[in-house]
Amino acid sequence: MISTRFETLQDQQGVTTKTNYRIMVVDDNIELLEELENLLKLGGYEVTAISDGTEVFDIALRNKPDLILLDLKMSPKSGFQIADEVRNSLFLKNTPVIAMTGFFTEKQHFLMMKLCGIKTSILKPFKPLNLINKIEFALGNRLEEYEADGT
């Protein structure tokens, strides 16, 4: 049922996903991490899910993701630190990073995100279709970003 609903939303909104894009999802909330992994796999993406921020950089170098979906509030290494490592890496610097956050919402936080190389952000909680749209936009498969008002 979830798959059918997701496909219907894709058709209605004109979202098209190319299979085999590699997405790395980083979040220390295991339940959310599993939900995102399942959602993205339904969307045709290859997914690497990581709950420990200290492992992200090494795994990213090995897997070379097309995009990193990154929670900002983690410890011991924050999403800001991870994004900065990606931005400063010769091999990963062109990998788009989308920040997921429910805490860092003030203007100075968005400036800090940009300084760390984060392409865009999405506020938690978010709708699955909005996340897919942001991913497709960051990958260059959409010409514009939008937020769907449906659930």
Side-chain angles (χ1 to χ4, degrees):
M1 186 73 174
I2 293 173
S3 178
T4 305
R5 171 115 172 100
F6 182 70
E7 289 167 2
T8 301
L9 288 173
Q10 283 182 304
D11 293 340
Q12 289 173 354
Q13 298 298 327
V15 176
T16 57
T17 59
K18 176 188 170 227
T19 57
N20 298 327
Y21 277 118
R22 293 176 313 275
I23 298 181
M24 178 177 284
V25 183
V26 183
D27 199 309
D28 56 358
N29 179 330
I30 302 299
E31 185 177 310
L32 178 61
L33 188 65
E34 290 173 355
E35 288 179 23
L36 290 172
E37 182 177 16
N38 291 331
L39 171 72
L40 295 172
K41 284 181 178 179
L42 283 172
Y45 301 102
E46 291 180 23
V47 180
T48 302
I50 303 172
S51 61
D52 183 349
T54 61
E55 299 175 351
V56 173
F57 188 73
D58 292 334
I59 294 172
L61 283 175
R62 284 195 309 271
N63 294 353
K64 296 180 181 63
D66 296 303
L67 181 135
I68 299 172
L69 191 57
L70 179 64
D71 181 28
L72 292 178
K73 190 171 186 196
M74 296 189 303
S75 68
K77 189 180 278 192
S78 76
F80 292 106
Q81 292 170 305
I82 295 166
D84 194 51
E85 286 178 342
V86 169
R87 180 182 60 90
N88 287 308
S89 167
L90 182 62
F91 299 107
L92 298 172
K93 67 181 178 182
N94 294 322
T95 305
V97 176
I98 298 176
M100 301 181 294
T101 186
F103 298 98
F104 300 108
T105 59
E106 295 180 20
K107 192 174 184 175
Q108 68 266 26
H109 296 137
F110 291 105
L111 176 60
M112 197 159 72
M113 288 181 212
K114 296 298 178 195
L115 291 173
C116 292
I118 296 172
K119 185 171 183 107
T120 189
S121 62
I122 189 165
L123 297 177
K124 293 178 182 178
F126 47 80
K127 296 174 183 164
L129 190 58
N130 290 344
L131 176 63
I132 297 297
N133 173 61
K134 286 211 178 264
I135 289 169
E136 288 297 302
F137 181 75
L139 291 171
N141 294 338
R142 292 198 66 82
L143 298 177
E144 61 185 40
E145 275 188 283
Y146 68 88
E147 287 195 15
D149 54 5
T151 56

